[in-house]
């Protein structure tokens, strides 16, 4: 949150972007996103595709929402085959390992991408050696701090960071560890372009698993035990492509 805030100039042509969004038991919210995405202008949608990763939803898989409906742009649905507490780390690793667009926008399902922000990301002259966070406001209007897990970067940049460490899967509160590693590989800047948070609206937030539990203190111990030859554990969970 102390990173510099920047505005990015816009060149003449757009660049393709892949939207990455983990999913866990969020059918109502995913359906709402589909409606919003369908309202984006066609001249913007033609440069967008999405990778949604169902993080092992036990009762309400994303497939139930996406099948039999018109998709506003190409959408790939991948599914992790085990239900692990707070395993968005593996979901993001999996999504970044797929797709062909150089630029990616990754955010949580309780965040809306306004059409103005989409246009700025598509048309902006963003630097490939930089990691971008986005400004943010509540759905009620008030400005809030940028979301630590909403980032725009190239796929190559994500690979240079090493991805999320799936040794931390199952624990809440791991975003700080990743952000510190990211900052060692590239400058981080905050865009004036905003996301809108709809936390705990409909089924947008996970309530199956509790946050900040005693077992989550293990994160600091695991990180402290890393040796000089440590590398992130990635793509360690079984998965398959659904559609």
């Amino acid at each position: 949150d102390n990173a510099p805030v920047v505005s990015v100039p816009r060149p003449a042509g757009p660049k393709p972007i892949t939207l990455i969004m983990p999913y866990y038991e969020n059918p109502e919210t995913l359906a709402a996103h589909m409606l919003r995405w369908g309202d984006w202008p066609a001249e913007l949608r033609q440069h967008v595709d999405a990778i949604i990763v169902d993080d092992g939803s036990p009762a309400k898989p994303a497939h139930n929402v996406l099948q039999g409906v018109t998709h506003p742009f190409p959408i790939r649905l991948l599914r992790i085959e085990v239900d692990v507490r707070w395993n968005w780390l593996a979901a993001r690793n999996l999504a970044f390992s797929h797709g062909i667009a150089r630029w990616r926008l990754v955010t949580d399902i309780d965040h809306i991408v306004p059409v103005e922000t989409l246009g700025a990301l598509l048309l902006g002259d963003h630097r490939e050696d930089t990691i971008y966070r986005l400004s943010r406001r509540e759905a009620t209007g008030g400005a809030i701090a940028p979301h630590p897990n909403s980032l725009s970067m190239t796929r190559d940049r994500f690979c240079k960071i090493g991805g999320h460490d799936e040794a931390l899967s199952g624990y809440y509160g791991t975003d700080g560890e990743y952000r510190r590693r990211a900052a060692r590989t590239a400058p981080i800047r905050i865009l004036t372009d905003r996301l809108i948070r709809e936390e705990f609206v409909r089924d947008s937030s996970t309530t199956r698993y509790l946050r900040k539990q005693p077992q989550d203190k293990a994160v600091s111990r695991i990180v402290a035990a890393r040796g000089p030859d440590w590398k992130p554990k990635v793509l360690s969970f079984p998965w398959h492509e659904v559609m």
Side-chain angles (χ1 to χ4, degrees), residues 27 64 68 73 84 87 100 134 136 141 162 192 201 203 211 219 224 235:
N64 291 349
F73 40 71
V84 175
N87 202 15
I100 59 174
L134 291 96
R136 188 169 59 149
T192 55
V201 176
D203 56 5
R211 294 160 167 79
V219 170
L235 303 178

Side-chain angles (χ1 to χ4, degrees), residues 70-231:
T70 300
H71 293 184
F73 40 71
I75 296 176
R76 295 180 69 177
L77 174 60
L78 312 179
R79 178 177 170 86
I80 297 174
E81 296 173 356
V82 291
D83 181 11
V84 175
R85 178 178 181 263
W86 303 118
N87 202 15
W88 53 266
L89 301 90
R92 292 178 176 222
N93 284 344
L94 184 57
F96 266 98
S97 71
H98 288 76
I100 59 174
R102 177 180 297 135
W103 279 93
R104 310 293 172 99
L105 169 62
V106 55
T107 188
D108 285 350
I109 202 166
D110 62 349
H111 284 77
I112 298 168
V113 183
V115 66
E116 297 82 7
T117 296
L118 174 69
L121 292 174
L122 288 172
L123 299 171
D125 189 15
H126 300 88
R127 295 177 57 94
E128 295 188 11
D129 62 354
T130 300
I131 298 168
Y132 294 97
R133 301 173 69 193
L134 291 96
S135 298
R136 188 169 59 149
R137 68 174 176 85
E138 292 281 15
T140 53
I144 52 177
H147 184 224
N149 288 326
S150 293
L151 302 164
S152 179
M153 69 179 86
T154 65
R155 181 181 179 183
D156 287 346
R157 177 56 50 191
F158 182 84
C159 292
K160 289 178 181 178
I161 298 169
H164 296 278
D165 184 11
E166 292 170 17
L168 302 178
S169 292
Y171 300 103
Y172 181 81
T174 61
D175 52 289
E177 178 273 339
Y178 174 75
R179 186 165 46 169
R180 286 188 290 272
R181 283 195 290 118
R184 290 195 288 268
T185 72
I188 296 177
R189 298 292 183 262
I190 300 175
L191 297 171
T192 55
D193 312 297
R194 291 181 172 181
L195 299 175
I196 302 172
R197 182 174 72 170
E198 283 195 341
E199 191 175 25
F200 297 108
V201 176
R202 295 177 301 272
D203 56 5
S204 65
S205 299
T206 299
T207 56
R208 178 182 176 87
Y209 297 114
L210 299 177
R211 294 160 167 79
K212 300 181 180 179
Q213 296 301 292
Q215 63 264 38
D216 296 326
K217 295 179 181 179
V219 170
S220 58
R221 296 194 297 271
I222 295 172
V223 173
R226 292 171 176 170
D229 298 324
W230 170 86
K231 292 183 179 179

